[in-house]
Amino acid sequence: YIYIYIYRQMADYHTYYKGPEGETTQWEDIQIRLGNLAPKEKAWKPEKYAPEEELSKNKEWIDAKTQDELEEGLDEEFQDDRALNEYRLQRIQQIKAAAAKPKFGTVELIRGSEFVQKVTQASEKYLVACLLYREGHIPCRPLLQCLPELASKYPSTKFVQCFAQDAIPNYPDAGLPLLLLYKDGQCVKNLQGLKPYGGDKLTPEHLALVLNTFGPYCIRDGEDEDQATNDQIRSLATRLADKRAEYGGTKDPEDESSDFDD
């Protein structure tokens, strides 16, 4: 739209054409490019109104809430949804139970003299995974590399490691690594060597999947076994895809052969 301003000066009539505020004519654009005119400030325009989307209250919405948020002022919101309210109460109990569990988060190096206390007796209260190894022994490397990540991701399980000769004098290197899984004061499984994991190309996700076949050793607070398995499979697929991309879509050269024979 063009507005026309007409004024009279010295008995002459002049017509001045002006567009909407902030807009420029083609002639003005040329003068601005040549530096003869200063650029005009654009006219302020209000942002388009966008109504906020109403949050749908579902299980995912509840999972994102803290214990305090779930306990305070929400009873009225769930009066019309009994099933969702029951899930809310269940979620509160899960959070409380998780808070009561001991938190570890690292791999503890123990002495052989501490084995009974920190493994056998400790497993009466919580799950324990103990790695027996020898420093510098190549087959032990994959587990030594994977356990810290599992310990950090699953702090409810106690992960420890101990020099094999310190725990079991004269234990042969051929039986290493030896991963002992304890529960209720008993060793429920011992995994010797790397064959239980399919070889030396071991990832933390793969190790977690193997351990979970013998108990909930690698399950985060609030997860069930199916959720943990799906999460580990997705993480494993992502890790493998990233590794493949690192080598330009080709196979990792290390996959062609093993560093050692099982």
Side-chain angles (χ1 to χ4, degrees):
Y1 300 95
I2 297 177
Y3 302 92
I4 303 176
Y5 294 86
I6 304 176
Y7 60 92
R8 182 173 183 177
Q9 182 179 1
M10 301 293 292
D12 292 327
Y13 288 93
H14 301 274
T15 303
Y16 177 68
Y17 296 91
K18 182 180 179 182
E21 184 180 355
E23 293 187 5
T24 58
T25 65
Q26 185 177 6
W27 180 86
E28 287 174 324
D29 291 338
I30 294 172
Q31 297 304 311
I32 291 172
R33 285 198 298 269
L34 294 175
N36 298 329
L37 291 177
K40 287 187 177 182
E41 293 185 3
K42 292 186 177 181
W44 178 84
K45 293 182 180 180
E47 295 182 0
K48 290 184 178 180
Y49 172 73
E52 294 184 2
E53 294 184 6
E54 184 177 351
L55 291 175
S56 58
K57 295 180 175 60
N58 50 30
K59 290 185 177 181
E60 289 75 17
W61 181 81
I62 290 178
D63 289 340
K65 296 291 183 180
T66 64
Q67 179 181 337
D68 290 340
E69 290 172 333
L70 292 175
E71 288 180 332
E72 295 179 2
L74 292 179
D75 291 334
E76 296 181 358
E77 295 187 35
F78 293 95
Q79 286 182 348
D80 299 330
D81 196 330
R82 182 176 178 181
L84 198 58
N85 189 49
E86 289 179 355
Y87 182 78
R88 176 180 73 94
L89 298 176
Q90 178 185 348
R91 179 61 182 154
I92 291 174
Q93 294 305 316
Q94 288 177 344
I95 295 175
K96 289 181 177 179
K101 288 183 179 180
K103 301 293 182 182
F104 300 104
T106 59
V107 181
E108 181 184 1
L109 178 63
I110 65 172
R111 300 188 299 270
S113 58
E114 299 175 305
F115 190 92
V116 173
Q117 175 191 356
K118 295 195 172 183
V119 178
T120 307
Q121 293 177 356
S123 71
E124 295 175 358
K125 297 180 180 179
Y126 29 75
L127 298 173
V128 180
C130 176
L131 173 65
L132 300 187
Y133 72 106
R134 180 173 69 80
E135 195 74 42
H137 189 48
I138 294 178
C140 295
R141 289 180 184 174
L143 284 171
L144 288 171
Q145 292 170 351
C146 291
L147 284 186
E149 185 168 332
L150 294 190
S152 175
K153 193 172 184 179
Y154 307 106
S156 296
T157 296
K158 184 175 183 179
F159 289 88
V160 302
Q161 61 189 46
C162 181
F163 293 118
Q165 291 292 330
D166 196 16
I168 308 174
N170 301 318
Y171 188 83
D173 287 352
L176 298 178
L178 179 62
L179 187 59
L180 306 173
L181 303 180
Y182 273 75
K183 180 182 180 183
D184 299 328
Q186 301 290 329
C187 181
V188 296
K189 188 67 179 178
N190 65 79
L191 302 169
Q192 188 179 72
L194 291 173
K195 286 186 178 180
Y197 320 106
D200 64 313
K201 305 306 175 188
L202 186 60
T203 66
E205 297 82 8
H206 186 189
L207 179 56
L209 289 168
V210 172
L211 297 190
N212 281 348
T213 61
F214 307 108
Y217 289 87
C218 297
I219 293 181
R220 285 182 289 195
D221 296 335
E223 278 187 332
D224 57 33
E225 293 185 14
D226 289 339
Q227 289 173 328
T229 298
N230 291 335
D231 176 65
Q232 288 152 9
I233 291 174
R234 285 194 299 268
S235 297
L236 177 59
T238 300
R239 185 185 295 269
L240 294 177
D242 290 344
K243 191 172 184 181
R244 189 175 183 85
E246 181 181 349
Y247 290 93
T250 62
K251 291 181 66 176
D252 180 351
E254 295 182 0
D255 289 342
E256 298 298 328
S257 61
S258 175
D259 292 332
F260 58 87
D261 295 328
D262 295 332

